Amino acid sequence: MKNLFSVIFIVVLFTVVGCGGGGSGGSSAAAQFIGRFFVEVSETSDPCGIESSPNHSFLHDVNQDGDLIALTSGEIHYSGQVNAAQTGFTVNATVATSGNCTSTLSTTYSPPSGDNIFDVVNTTAIDCGRGVCTVTYSGEANYFGGNP
């Protein structure tokens, strides 16, 4: 009888231990980046002399579905995903500009540099058929609100 209780105890113990904590094999929940961010950036590279203003500020509204990110900035809609480390994200958009040019825009939010503050890099690759020129800005995105 004592052996039977020992076997039952061991089975129950392994069942409880085996069921705890979520285990491996499935993907973990994505970090959450939903909300509104006030972004301030300064020009760090403009090899073609395209931009006339070295500083910009704007709003980013970020929505998320799992690892997928949708970011809106004014009339521009970006899409992308959370990075593998679940610490930030990158989004991209392509827009037509004047003079039969296209601009490929990319924004990367990196791990926070403070409470609710992310490091941000914006790049704009401008292609007018004579080669591509990439303008880069860097700065910070400050989270200031819930769902956009």
Side-chain angles (χ1 to χ4, degrees):
M1 187 67 145
K2 185 175 178 183
N3 285 340
L4 179 61
F5 286 121
S6 296
V7 170
I8 291 172
F9 175 75
I10 290 171
V11 169
V12 169
L13 178 65
F14 284 130
T15 301
V16 170
V17 171
C19 290
S24 62
S27 63
S28 61
Q32 294 297 304
F33 301 101
I34 298 170
R36 178 166 277 182
F37 296 83
F38 178 72
V39 181
E40 294 181 291
V41 294
S42 297
E43 182 180 275
T44 56
S45 174
D46 184 4
C48 299
I50 295 172
E51 288 288 339
S52 59
S53 175
N55 301 306
H56 294 279
S57 59
F58 37 85
L59 292 176
H60 281 171
D61 289 322
V62 178
N63 282 300
Q64 182 174 356
D65 182 9
D67 282 341
L68 301 177
I69 299 286
L71 184 149
T72 301
S73 181
E75 298 295 317
I76 301 172
H77 302 282
Y78 297 76
S79 62
Q81 65 184 46
V82 175
N83 65 25
Q86 301 287 312
T87 57
F89 60 88
T90 298
V91 291
N92 301 291
T94 300
V95 296
T97 57
S98 62
N100 294 322
C101 300
T102 58
S103 294
T104 303
L105 313 170
S106 179
T107 298
T108 299
Y109 276 54
S110 296
S113 57
D115 264 355
N116 296 320
I117 300 172
F118 288 83
D119 293 328
V120 173
V121 174
N122 287 338
T123 59
T124 302
I126 303 164
D127 184 356
C128 297
R130 299 179 307 270
V132 177
C133 182
T134 301
V135 179
T136 305
Y137 286 84
S138 61
E140 293 182 335
N142 294 280
Y143 174 82
F144 73 91
N147 297 338

